[in-house]
Amino acid sequence: GVQTCALPISPASAPPAPAANSGIRQPAPNLAKGARPPEQAKTDPKRKPLDPIPNRPITGADLKVWLKEAIDRQRDGDVEGGIALMHRVLNYKPDDAQTWMNLGVLYRRQKLPDMSLACYERAKQYTPKSGGLWGNIGNAYKDLEQYDLAIAAHKKAVELEPKTIGLWHNYARSEE
């Protein structure tokens, strides 16, 4: 079944990724244009594992910096670092639908569609009329081979945003 998520999912509760030598096929990175695979990711000598949380009240500017860093890490092939930073943001702003959606995308890239769906369900609480969200839900259901639910989610996506070509593409592919 699909996991539900009461509060932000801690990175420690996520199922571990298979070891490189386990014989389990590693998912290919879904790279943005211009990004490098993890083994070729740019090494930034200034980039620390994760900056510590400051000993002061967290501001909106802190959250924006963390989100930008999460996206940069994902783009450079550090999906786990991106996930950790998104969790950090959600600990301070648990009602941020966009961060929940982004976290769901990262879990899907890690081949964790149940975790992905749990994040999308949280996002849906705050933005139920987002065609992009419903498209992501459909993709996760397709990953789980729950094709009727995938088709229904993709149909809802195109009903909400009929001018978005990518949603129509996913809808057509969900019926294949």
Side-chain angles (χ1 to χ4, degrees), residues 9-11 14 70 74 78-88 103 106-107 110 112:
I9 306 163
S10 72
Q74 176 268 317
D78 181 11
V79 175
E80 290 176 6
I83 287 171
L85 282 161
M86 293 218 182
H87 279 287
R88 183 183 282 185
L103 183 58
L106 293 180
Y107 277 126
Q110 292 288 80
L112 299 169

Side-chain angles (χ1 to χ4, degrees), residues 75-106:
R75 191 174 296 127
D76 286 344
D78 181 11
V79 175
E80 290 176 6
I83 287 171
L85 282 161
M86 293 218 182
H87 279 287
R88 183 183 282 185
V89 170
L90 289 167
N91 283 328
Y92 290 95
K93 194 173 178 190
D95 61 348
D96 186 40
Q98 189 63 49
T99 302
W100 280 112
M101 284 195 285
N102 291 341
L103 183 58
V105 169
L106 293 180

Side-chain angles (χ1 to χ4, degrees), residues 9-93:
I9 306 163
S10 72
S13 70
N21 60 359
S22 67
I24 298 173
R25 190 175 137 274
Q26 294 289 321
N30 188 354
L31 299 172
K33 186 175 181 178
R36 299 175 182 96
E39 63 276 3
Q40 298 174 7
K42 203 172 20 173
T43 305
D44 184 349
K46 296 181 224 164
R47 182 175 284 170
K48 301 174 194 165
L50 281 182
D51 288 333
I53 296 173
N55 289 331
R56 59 172 170 67
I58 302 302
T59 66
D62 292 319
L63 300 178
K64 285 180 183 177
V65 167
W66 294 342
L67 282 173
K68 182 186 179 317
E69 178 69 11
I71 291 165
D72 288 348
R73 284 174 180 259
Q74 176 268 317
R75 191 174 296 127
D76 286 344
D78 181 11
V79 175
E80 290 176 6
I83 287 171
L85 282 161
M86 293 218 182
H87 279 287
R88 183 183 282 185
V89 170
L90 289 167
N91 283 328
Y92 290 95
K93 194 173 178 190

Side-chain angles (χ1 to χ4, degrees), residues 5 18 20 33 35 46 59 69-70 72 78 86-87 98 108-109 120 125-126 129 132 136 152 164 166-167 175-176:
C5 182
K33 186 175 181 178
K46 296 181 224 164
T59 66
E69 178 69 11
D72 288 348
D78 181 11
M86 293 218 182
H87 279 287
Q98 189 63 49
R108 185 168 181 251
R109 288 183 180 166
Y120 297 147
Q125 293 174 12
Y126 309 109
K129 294 185 179 184
N136 285 334
T164 305
L167 297 177
E175 293 188 330
E176 290 177 348

Side-chain angles (χ1 to χ4, degrees), residues 101-160:
M101 284 195 285
N102 291 341
L103 183 58
V105 169
L106 293 180
Y107 277 126
R108 185 168 181 251
R109 288 183 180 166
Q110 292 288 80
K111 304 294 185 196
L112 299 169
D114 282 328
M115 297 291 284
S116 182
L117 271 174
C119 293
Y120 297 147
E121 288 299 319
R122 283 299 297 271
K124 193 166 65 170
Q125 293 174 12
Y126 309 109
T127 182
K129 294 185 179 184
S130 165
L133 170 62
W134 282 97
N136 285 334
I137 291 170
N139 291 337
Y141 276 128
K142 188 173 182 185
D143 293 345
L144 290 167
E145 299 179 3
Q146 295 181 21
Y147 300 111
D148 289 343
L149 293 172
I151 291 168
H154 284 299
K155 182 178 179 186
K156 179 144 180 123
V158 298
E159 289 169 353
L160 290 168

